[in-house]
Amino acid sequence: QVQLVESGGGLVQAGGSLTLSCAASGQTFSTYAMGWFRQAPGKERELVGRIRWYGGITGLTDSVKDRFTISKDNAKNAVYLQMNSLQPEDTGVYYCALQPIGRATYDYWGQGTQVTVSS
């Protein structure tokens, strides 16, 4: 089993920055990738970015790729989402998720952290 705990959300003005953290514990040795998702009010959850656990290859959705950075620290079993130039449309609950090796889905999810960007 794997446990994921996000932190770092909050209220920020447009143009501001936040860094989200996700701490993983348990059987993390079988991690293929970690992803950051977000869900805005009234909208479906969307993938914001992902990072491969071994190799560090990253990918970010077009709407954030020039403003957000995803990184990891294998020694700490942690993944981060640095968010700059935040806009009101970035508001939502942000979740980290883990995709195990050999699986096509994210099988483990954190509880989410709220990000609110005021205009």
Side-chain angles (χ1 to χ4, degrees), residues 2-5 21-36 49-59 70-81 96-102 106:
V2 173
Q3 294 78 42
L4 302 174
V5 179
S21 301
C22 175
S25 61
Q27 297 179 343
T28 59
F29 58 86
S30 62
T31 301
Y32 176 73
M34 297 285 290
W36 281 102
R50 62 176 294 186
I51 184 166
R52 289 192 187 176
W53 200 244
Y54 300 103
I57 297 173
T58 63
I70 189 168
S71 62
K72 64 181 177 66
D73 185 332
N74 288 56
K76 295 183 178 179
N77 285 335
V79 64
Y80 308 97
L81 185 68
C96 70
L98 186 148
Q99 178 185 4
I101 293 172
Y106 290 87

Side-chain angles (χ1 to χ4, degrees), residues 64-118:
V64 307
K65 65 181 180 180
D66 295 327
R67 301 182 293 122
F68 292 8
T69 303
I70 189 168
S71 62
K72 64 181 177 66
D73 185 332
N74 288 56
K76 295 183 178 179
N77 285 335
V79 64
Y80 308 97
L81 185 68
Q82 172 69 43
M83 306 185 293
N84 299 322
S85 301
L86 283 161
Q87 300 301 316
E89 53 265 33
D90 295 315
T91 294
V93 180
Y94 283 69
Y95 301 88
C96 70
L98 186 148
Q99 178 185 4
I101 293 172
R103 297 280 295 170
T105 56
Y106 290 87
D107 290 350
Y108 300 97
W109 294 81
Q111 81 288 350
T113 186
Q114 176 71 45
V115 172
T116 303
V117 184
S118 63

Side-chain angles (χ1 to χ4, degrees), residues 3-63:
Q3 294 78 42
L4 302 174
V5 179
E6 303 97 335
S7 60
L11 174 64
V12 64
Q13 289 187 334
S17 298
L18 283 174
T19 298
L20 305 183
S21 301
C22 175
S25 61
Q27 297 179 343
T28 59
F29 58 86
S30 62
T31 301
Y32 176 73
M34 297 285 290
W36 281 102
F37 292 76
R38 68 184 179 189
Q39 187 165 20
K43 295 187 177 180
E44 293 187 354
R45 187 160 51 190
E46 64 170 341
L47 177 64
V48 175
R50 62 176 294 186
I51 184 166
R52 289 192 187 176
W53 200 244
Y54 300 103
I57 297 173
T58 63
L60 290 162
T61 193
D62 286 346
S63 62

